[in-house]
């Protein structure tokens, strides 16, 4: 697998970089690690990232990587001398793997102030910063070639020793091949010939019709006029043409893959090599082609880097799991040892009880010998002699430990022969102690005392075993938590991921409306100018507001639509909110309305004698005003889909949502917009958020046109809510006919019509009275109410006649505005606004309820029998609030 750049790769990369980054400014230098640096070159609306790994590679990259939080000293030195400087040239030094970045001043490359970055990609590599005379100012690592030659600060970097590329001559080729050894083949020998490199040399051998493994001494005719030498010379001429072409024009890049085995059909492709040319030896291998060699190298190394990080992270996880497994094994072994000791102690006590007589005899014999003053060695010899004679007691004495007053006896279990065929779990557990078992007994205690001692030891071992089991789970959890913490602190995260290319509209303030339309707003005066001049097209809508600082917002319409009237009202309303929220209305908490116009009504041509500043425009024609906007603004998160499968699942999500919304609009009735008040004057608009621009000239419209949102009203059941609100808070109709209606339900629309007609002085149509008799008291009360209303109407007419000049129109507007508001509603609203003195809202509600009870007619049996009994109404919102107020402490 190829691991680093060759001279041919460096040549192809430099050619691509000359077209992509020359003329750009170096805005940032970052160190990814100790040997890898990231150079950020930018110009307006464009940036290029160049990744340089000392001794390995150089290429542009589209992948993001984590950078060091604290830059190194060498990185700080580079930033000090090169930041914000323009790259004037980049070239390869001869045919070597050395690249020179030149940051020249206006006076020329040989003037003071010019700097060079020299990057070496052979051996361990190096990165060197020099001045205009190639004197070293800083370098990544100091290299001592010999006693006189060194690469260090203050030394001059020598460029004269570089090698170039020349056409191959026949005589030079024959002379070079004649120096090969007897076992050298063509591929190994020609790899070091000239400056062509191993890959291109193998390409030459195959193009000449020879085998790369051909031995020169035995298989090649070294005569200068031989067909083999002639074929090699012609192939080298083609190779020279390839080198010249790679230095003049950008070439595509190729990545070849290792051939798959027959058993690895479902495995992923494994990278093998990357090259700027599809050589003959690679044409039969699976490969991918990329637009440029820099792109191919970026994909190759970025994927390899990501794979290495994944392998390293996986190895860390395996090491942590292994460590945790060792801890678990240790705990399990400790618990098993305690359990075995517990069972062994119990078995030893049981063996003493089974062989009670034998144990007492052995203890008695040894005790008597010790009491008689027999030497311990003599006693051991005596026991050994008795064992030789076949004494059954002496044969079962294994060891004498008289220093501790103990002897070791071999005790059998007579029941073992009867339980051999048993498969019970208890028998399986005791198989560990089947056969003879060594038991230590105290010679100064009886057999029962020794058995009791073992039972006491068993009890202590059981307690220890139980404690160990109790704390083992807690100890394992603690160890696991500690290992996870250490792994998290040292874990290598996979940080190589392909960066997303920003869309053109992301430099503006933008959002996608609920109807799927793109809405854009400028961030400053320059962006306002750019937004309108470059991106406002026919069919788009321009949204603004008559308040200082309002944003210039455009709504991008569908491509095939020629008029902005096709944009849904909800999208225009959301765009209006965006414009108003960026104005001074946000700080002043002013609720105002925005407006929208067609793209053709927006112009940059000012009237004669006037001047339009940057970000200001002329609006000609009528404006369509939107409803008052709420000062509610937010931000959203945009989630990027990680793989192609997720993209395929969501590719039509917005289209499906759009189809559902269009279906809802078709089913709704009365949707649309009405033209609003037009202004004939041309009004220049001020720029967003800039106090220095000219103030808006012209008069702002007094009233804005209304837009019909009947579709939205039906969608959210606003009509039902209004009907219920009027039923609960509406003013009672006090006409005699309405009072005689009594038990009949009157709709909300009838009540509104009756109130409007009563306030304007028109005759109120009397609804039909239900069939039935009316009592005398009821009729008397109805007559009194009729007289009272007539007197009220007369007083109103007199007041209207006594009005001063100008008050008539004001009162008419107030009546139209508050036509649906009665006295109770007025008092309630004034209380909510805090403008009704010290009156409480609860007191107003209680008074309204008590007044309704007083005004209720007396019950009439005959009338009730004749009238229709209405269904009970659900509790009103006011009653629910009162109930909540009473229930709350």
């Amino acid at each position: 697998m190829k691991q680093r750049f060759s001279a041919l790769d460096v040549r192809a990369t430099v050619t691509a970089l000359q077209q992509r980054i020359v003329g750009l400014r170096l805005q940032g230098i970052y160190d990814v690690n100790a040997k890898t640096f990231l150079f950020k070159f930018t110009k307006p609306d464009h940036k290029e990232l160049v990744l340089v790994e000392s001794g390995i590679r150089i290429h542009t990259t589209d992948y993001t990587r984590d950078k060091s939080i604290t830059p190194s000293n060498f990185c700080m030195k580079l930033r000090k001398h090169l930041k914000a400087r323009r790259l004037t040239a980049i070239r390869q030094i001869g045919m070597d793997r050395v690249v020179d970045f030149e940051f020249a001043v206006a006076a020329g490359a040989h003037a003071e102030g010019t700097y060079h970055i020299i990057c070496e990609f052979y051996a361990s590599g190096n990165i060197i910063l020099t001045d205009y005379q190639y004197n070293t100012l800083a370098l990544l690592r100091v290299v001592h070639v010999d006693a006189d030659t060194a690469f260090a600060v203050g030394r001059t970097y020598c460029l004269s020793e570089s090698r170039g590329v020349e056409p191959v001559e026949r005589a030079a080729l024959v002379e070079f091949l004649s120096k090969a050894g007897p076992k050298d083949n063509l591929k190994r020998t020609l790899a070091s010939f000239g400056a062509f490199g191993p890959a291109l040399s193998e390409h030459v051998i195959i193009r000449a019709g020879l085998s790369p493994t051909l031995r020169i001494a035995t298989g090649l005719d070294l005569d200068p006029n031989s067909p083999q030498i002639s074929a090699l010379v012609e192939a080298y001429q083609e190779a020279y043409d390839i080198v010249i072409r790679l230095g003049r024009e950008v070439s595509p890049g190729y990545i070849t893959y290792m051939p798959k085995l027959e058993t690895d059909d479902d495995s992923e492709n494994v990278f093998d090599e990357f090259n700027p040319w599809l050589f003959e030896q690679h044409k039969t291998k699976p490969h991918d082609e990329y637009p440029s060699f820099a792109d191919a190298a970026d994909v190759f190394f970025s994927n390899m880097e990501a794979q290495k990080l994944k392998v390293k992270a996986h190895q860390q996880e395996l090491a942590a799991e292994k460590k945790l497994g060792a801890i678990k094994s240790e705990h399990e072994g400790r618990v098993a040892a305690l359990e075995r000791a517990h069972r062994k102690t119990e078995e030893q006590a049981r063996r003493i009880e089974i062989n009670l007589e034998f144990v007492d005899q052995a203890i008695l014999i040894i005790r008597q010998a010790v009491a008689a003053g027999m030497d311990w060695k003599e006693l051991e010899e005596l026991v050994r002699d008795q064992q030789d004679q076949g004494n059954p007691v002496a044969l079962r004495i294994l060891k004498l430990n008289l220093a501790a007053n103990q002897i070791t006896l071999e005790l059998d279990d007579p029941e073992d022969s009867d339980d051999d065929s048993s498969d019970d779990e208890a028998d399986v557990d005791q198989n560990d102690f089947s056969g003879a078992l060594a038991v230590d007994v105290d010679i100064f205690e009886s057999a029962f005392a020794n058995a009791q001692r073992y039972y006491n030891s068993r009890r202590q071992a059981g307690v220890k075993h139980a404690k160990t089991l109790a704390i083992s789970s807690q100890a394992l959890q603690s160890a696991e938590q500690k290992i996870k913490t250490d792994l998290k602190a040292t874990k290598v995260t996979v940080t190589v991921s392909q960066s997303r290319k920003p869309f053109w509209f992301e430099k503006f303030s933008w959002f996608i409306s609920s109807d799927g339309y793109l809405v854009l707003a400028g961030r400053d005066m320059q962006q306002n100018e750019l937004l309108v001049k470059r991106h406002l097209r026919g069919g788009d809508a321009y949204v603004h507001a008559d308040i200082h600082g309002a944003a210039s917002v455009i709504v991008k319409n569908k491509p095939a639509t020629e008029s902005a009237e096709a944009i849904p009202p909800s999208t225009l309303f959301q765009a209006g909110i965006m414009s108003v929220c960026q104005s001074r209305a946000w700080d002043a908490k002013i609720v105002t309305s925005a407006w929208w116009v067609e793209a053709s009504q927006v112009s940059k041509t000012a009237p004669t004698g006037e001047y339009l500043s940057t970000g200001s425009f002329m609006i000609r024609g009528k404006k369509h005003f939107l409803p008052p906007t709420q000062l509610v603004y937010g931000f959203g998160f945009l989630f990027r889909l990680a793989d192609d499968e997720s993209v395929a699942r969501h590719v039509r999500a917005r289209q499906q949502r759009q189809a559902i919304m269009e279906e809802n609009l078709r089913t709704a009735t009365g949707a649309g917009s009405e033209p609003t008040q037009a202004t004939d004057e041309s009004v220049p608009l001020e720029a967003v958020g800039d106090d220095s621009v000219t103030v808006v000239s012209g008069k702002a419209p007094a009233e804005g046109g209304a837009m019909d949102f009947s579709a939205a009203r039906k969608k959210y059941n606003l009509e039902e809510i209004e009907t219920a609100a009027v039923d609960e808070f509406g003013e009672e109709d006090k006409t005699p006919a309405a009072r005689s209606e009594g038990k009949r339900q009157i709709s909300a629309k009838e009540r509104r019509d009756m109130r409007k007609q009563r306030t304007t002085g028109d005759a109120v149509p009397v609804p039909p009275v239900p069939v039935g008799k009316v009592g005398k008291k009821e009729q008397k009360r109805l007559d009194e109410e009729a007289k009272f209303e007539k007197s009220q109407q007369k007083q109103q007419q007199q007041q209207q006649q006594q009005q001063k000049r100008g008050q008539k129109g004001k009162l008419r507007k107030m009546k139209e505005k508050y036509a649906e508001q009665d006295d109770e509603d007025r008092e309630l609203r004034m209380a909510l606004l805090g403008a009704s003195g010290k009156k409480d809202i609860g007191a107003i509600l209680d008074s309204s309820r008590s007044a309704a009870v007083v005004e209720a007619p007396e019950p009439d049996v005959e009338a009730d029998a004749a009238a229709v009994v209405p269904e009970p109404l659900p509790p009103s919102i006011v009653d629910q609030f009162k109930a909540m107020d009473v229930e709350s402490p």
Side-chain angles (χ1 to χ4, degrees):
M1 181 183 294
K2 192 174 181 179
Q3 298 289 342
R4 61 173 63 216
F5 270 35
S6 63
L8 200 64
D9 299 336
V10 172
R11 189 176 187 86
T13 302
V14 169
T15 304
L17 292 178
Q18 287 174 349
Q19 298 187 8
R20 299 181 68 170
I21 66 174
V22 172
L24 276 63
R25 291 189 180 274
L26 181 60
Q27 290 289 33
I29 304 172
Y30 313 95
D31 44 355
V32 180
N33 52 48
K35 295 181 62 178
T36 308
F37 295 86
L38 187 67
F39 296 84
K40 181 180 179 181
F41 294 90
T42 63
K43 68 177 182 180
D45 300 333
H46 182 71
K47 71 175 181 180
E48 292 286 348
L49 299 177
V50 179
L51 192 67
V52 177
E53 186 175 0
S54 176
I56 303 296
R57 53 176 169 150
I58 174 175
H59 56 81
T60 57
T61 180
D62 293 331
Y63 289 78
T64 58
R65 296 168 174 82
D66 286 344
K67 310 171 188 64
S68 300
I69 299 176
T70 304
S72 61
N73 294 331
F74 179 67
C75 183
M76 295 293 292
K77 191 76 171 179
L78 294 178
R79 291 181 182 181
K80 175 183 176 182
H81 292 281
L82 302 176
K83 190 171 183 180
R85 287 185 173 270
R86 191 185 301 276
L87 180 67
T88 56
I90 177 174
R91 63 180 178 273
Q92 181 183 16
I93 306 301
M95 199 59 186
D96 292 336
R97 287 175 285 178
V98 182
V99 179
D100 181 11
F101 292 86
E102 180 183 276
F103 299 87
V105 294
H110 299 285
E112 186 176 359
T114 298
Y115 293 95
H116 297 267
I117 295 181
I118 299 174
C119 302
E120 298 177 348
F121 299 100
Y122 58 88
S124 297
N126 209 346
I127 301 177
I128 304 171
L129 174 66
T130 67
D131 59 5
Y132 69 103
Q133 295 178 345
Y134 288 95
N135 295 320
T136 303
L137 302 177
L139 73 167
L140 186 61
R141 66 188 188 96
V142 177
V143 180
H144 294 278
V145 180
D146 50 36
D148 299 331
T149 307
F151 295 91
V153 175
R155 301 291 185 92
T156 301
Y157 190 86
C158 182
L159 300 176
S160 59
E161 298 179 359
S162 61
R163 60 175 181 172
V165 58
E166 299 292 339
V168 176
E169 297 181 359
R170 187 184 298 266
L173 178 60
V174 172
E175 182 182 358
F176 183 82
L177 291 174
S178 61
K179 296 179 181 179
K183 295 183 179 181
D184 292 341
N185 55 26
L186 277 175
K187 181 179 178 180
R188 183 182 302 174
T189 304
L190 293 180
S192 59
F193 178 68
F196 296 98
L200 189 56
S201 299
E202 187 177 358
H203 170 79
V204 167
I205 295 172
I206 298 176
R207 290 289 295 175
L210 302 176
S211 173
T213 59
L214 178 67
R215 290 191 177 183
I216 299 175
T218 59
L220 186 64
D221 186 4
L222 297 180
D223 186 5
N225 298 323
S226 65
Q228 293 177 334
I229 298 297
S230 300
L232 285 174
V233 172
E234 292 179 1
Y236 265 113
Q237 185 60 38
E238 294 181 5
Y240 177 76
D241 295 338
I242 292 175
V243 173
I244 299 300
R245 182 176 177 181
L246 290 177
R248 291 178 179 176
E249 57 185 47
V250 178
S251 63
Y254 299 90
I255 294 180
T256 58
Y257 302 97
M258 291 184 178
K260 291 184 178 181
L261 300 177
E262 296 180 358
T263 58
D264 297 339
D265 293 338
D266 298 334
S267 61
E268 296 182 357
N269 292 326
V270 179
F271 289 155
D272 186 16
E273 291 189 14
F274 58 95
N275 292 286
W277 194 272
L278 188 59
F279 299 122
E280 288 293 330
Q281 63 269 25
H282 297 149
K283 289 183 178 180
T284 58
K285 295 182 179 180
H287 60 273
D288 287 335
E289 182 178 351
Y290 293 87
S292 67
F293 174 72
D295 297 334
D298 185 27
V299 173
F300 185 90
F301 280 102
S302 298
N303 282 274
M304 293 299 296
E305 188 176 352
Q307 290 178 5
K308 289 179 181 178
L309 291 175
K310 287 181 181 179
V311 170
K312 191 173 182 180
H314 184 61
Q315 290 177 352
Q316 288 184 349
E317 292 177 357
L318 291 179
E321 291 178 358
K322 185 177 180 180
K323 186 177 180 181
L324 183 60
I327 294 174
K328 288 183 178 179
S329 300
E330 182 183 357
H331 277 278
E332 291 175 357
R334 188 177 303 172
V335 172
L338 290 174
E339 186 177 356
R340 179 179 175 83
H342 176 266
R343 291 191 290 106
K344 183 178 180 180
T345 307
E346 183 179 4
E347 181 66 18
Q348 287 174 337
R350 194 178 70 85
R351 293 290 179 93
I352 293 176
E353 291 179 345
I354 294 174
N355 301 274
L356 190 62
E357 296 180 359
F358 168 75
V359 173
D360 282 335
Q361 290 179 5
I363 290 174
L364 181 59
I365 293 173
I366 300 301
R367 187 190 302 172
Q368 290 177 354
V370 173
M374 184 179 292
D375 188 68
W376 291 355
K377 292 183 178 180
E378 294 179 358
L379 182 58
E380 290 179 358
E381 292 178 358
L382 176 61
V383 171
R384 199 175 300 115
D385 293 339
Q386 291 296 323
Q387 290 177 350
D388 294 338
Q389 296 177 8
N391 189 330
V393 177
L395 289 174
R396 299 175 69 177
I397 297 176
L398 300 178
K399 182 181 178 182
L400 295 178
N401 188 11
L402 299 179
N405 297 327
Q406 290 182 351
I407 61 174
T408 303
L409 302 178
E410 186 180 28
L411 302 180
D412 296 330
D413 187 2
E415 299 178 358
D416 287 344
S417 59
D418 300 335
D419 298 338
D420 289 341
S421 60
S422 176
D423 295 331
D424 196 37
E425 294 182 359
D427 295 334
V428 174
D429 295 338
Q430 291 180 0
N431 284 337
D432 296 339
F433 308 107
S434 60
L437 180 64
V439 180
D440 295 333
V441 294
D442 194 337
I443 61 176
F444 291 106
E445 293 182 356
S446 64
F448 279 112
N450 280 281
Q452 185 63 34
R453 179 168 57 85
Y454 275 105
Y455 278 123
N456 293 336
S457 299
R458 179 187 66 83
R459 190 178 300 108
Q460 294 176 0
V463 172
K464 190 174 182 180
H465 177 260
K467 290 183 178 179
T468 304
L469 288 177
I471 65 173
S472 61
S473 60
Q474 182 178 359
L476 286 175
Q477 291 178 0
S478 177
E480 185 176 0
Q481 185 66 28
K482 185 177 183 302
I483 290 174
K484 287 183 178 180
T485 303
D486 296 341
L487 179 63
K488 186 177 181 180
T490 60
K491 185 176 181 181
V492 177
T493 57
V494 179
T495 57
V496 180
S497 59
Q498 191 169 10
S499 59
R500 182 183 65 86
K501 186 176 182 180
F503 293 100
W504 62 269
F505 53 81
E506 291 189 48
K507 58 186 175 183
F508 305 104
S509 298
W510 64 277
F511 71 92
I512 304 295
S513 71
S514 58
D515 301 307
Y517 287 80
L518 177 62
V519 182
L520 306 173
R523 300 177 185 269
D524 49 27
M525 294 185 301
Q526 288 75 17
Q527 283 200 352
N528 284 342
E529 194 84 11
L530 178 65
L531 190 65
V532 174
K533 283 187 174 181
R534 185 177 297 180
H535 302 292
L536 185 62
R537 298 288 183 267
D540 298 341
Y542 178 87
V543 184
H544 200 67
D546 294 327
I547 187 169
H548 183 71
S552 292
V553 181
I554 66 171
V555 181
K556 298 298 292 182
N557 205 344
K558 304 299 181 183
T561 309
E562 298 180 355
S563 176
E565 294 180 356
I567 299 176
S570 57
T571 296
L572 295 173
F573 183 67
Q574 294 167 14
I577 293 177
M578 185 181 195
S579 178
V580 173
C581 286
Q582 294 190 15
S583 68
R584 286 192 173 181
W586 181 269
D587 296 329
K589 296 180 175 59
I590 299 174
V591 178
T592 184
S593 298
W595 46 263
W596 67 273
V597 294
E598 297 277 355
S600 58
Q601 298 178 239
V602 183
S603 174
K604 192 63 180 175
T605 304
T608 305
E610 295 185 12
Y611 168 74
L612 290 177
S613 60
T614 303
S616 300
F617 308 95
M618 298 295 299
I619 306 299
R620 293 180 170 84
K622 56 185 179 180
K623 302 176 182 177
H624 302 270
F625 281 83
L626 301 168
T629 60
Q630 299 177 351
L631 296 177
V632 179
Y633 211 32
F635 64 93
F637 292 95
L638 184 65
F639 293 93
R640 182 171 64 90
L641 301 178
D643 51 5
D644 296 338
E645 296 181 359
S646 300
V647 173
R649 287 195 297 268
H650 295 274
V651 66
R652 297 187 179 275
R654 187 175 295 278
Q655 298 178 4
Q656 295 174 359
R657 185 165 62 250
Q658 181 68 19
I660 293 173
M661 298 180 68
E662 291 178 357
E663 181 66 21
N664 293 337
L665 288 176
R666 283 196 298 268
T667 55
T669 58
S673 61
E674 297 179 0
T676 60
Q677 178 182 355
T679 55
D680 296 331
E681 299 181 48
S682 298
V683 183
L685 305 178
E686 57 184 356
V688 175
D690 195 343
D691 298 335
S692 64
V693 297
T694 58
V695 182
V696 176
S697 61
K699 297 180 180 179
E703 296 181 2
M707 297 187 68
D708 187 4
F709 290 90
S710 58
R713 294 168 65 87
K714 288 188 176 182
K715 177 180 179 182
Y716 298 104
N717 299 326
L718 296 180
E719 295 180 353
E720 297 180 6
I721 296 174
E722 291 178 356
T723 303
V726 171
D727 290 342
E728 291 295 330
F729 302 102
E731 180 184 4
E732 287 189 358
D733 198 346
K734 298 181 181 180
T735 59
R739 284 297 182 187
S740 63
E741 188 77 9
K743 306 296 182 179
R744 176 180 174 270
Q745 294 288 340
I746 302 176
S747 65
K749 186 174 184 305
E750 291 177 356
R751 291 187 181 182
R752 289 195 296 269
D753 295 340
M754 292 168 66
R755 278 196 292 268
K756 288 180 180 180
Q757 292 172 0
R758 184 173 67 251
T759 53
T760 55
D762 299 335
V764 179
V766 180
V769 181
V771 179
K773 295 182 180 181
V774 180
K776 295 180 180 180
K777 293 182 179 180
E778 178 68 11
Q779 186 65 38
K780 183 178 180 181
R781 187 183 58 79
L782 294 176
D783 295 337
E784 291 177 355
E785 289 181 356
K787 291 179 182 179
F788 177 76
E789 287 203 358
K790 288 181 180 179
S791 62
Q792 290 289 338
Q793 291 178 2
K794 289 182 180 180
Q795 290 179 4
Q796 290 179 2
Q797 292 177 0
Q798 292 176 2
Q799 290 177 359
Q800 290 177 1
Q801 293 176 0
Q802 296 175 2
Q803 289 173 355
K804 295 182 180 179
R805 182 178 180 183
Q807 291 184 351
K808 184 175 180 181
K810 185 182 295 185
L811 291 175
R812 179 176 57 80
K813 291 181 180 180
M814 291 176 63
K815 286 180 180 181
E816 292 176 357
K817 184 175 182 181
Y818 302 102
E820 298 181 4
Q821 187 181 47
D822 55 7
D823 296 336
E824 295 174 2
D825 291 340
R826 180 179 178 278
E827 291 181 1
L828 184 61
R829 292 175 183 272
M830 296 295 286
L832 290 173
L833 293 173
S836 59
K838 296 183 179 180
K839 253 185 177 181
D840 190 16
I841 300 175
I844 296 174
L845 297 175
D846 293 337
S847 62
S848 63
R849 291 298 179 186
S850 61
V853 173
V854 172
E855 294 178 359
E858 296 180 2
D860 191 352
V861 179
E862 297 178 357
D864 292 341
V868 179
V869 179
E871 296 180 358
L873 295 174
S876 64
I877 298 177
V878 177
D879 293 337
Q880 295 177 19
F881 274 107
K882 288 185 66 180
M884 292 169 61
D885 192 13
V886 171
E887 292 174 1
S888 61

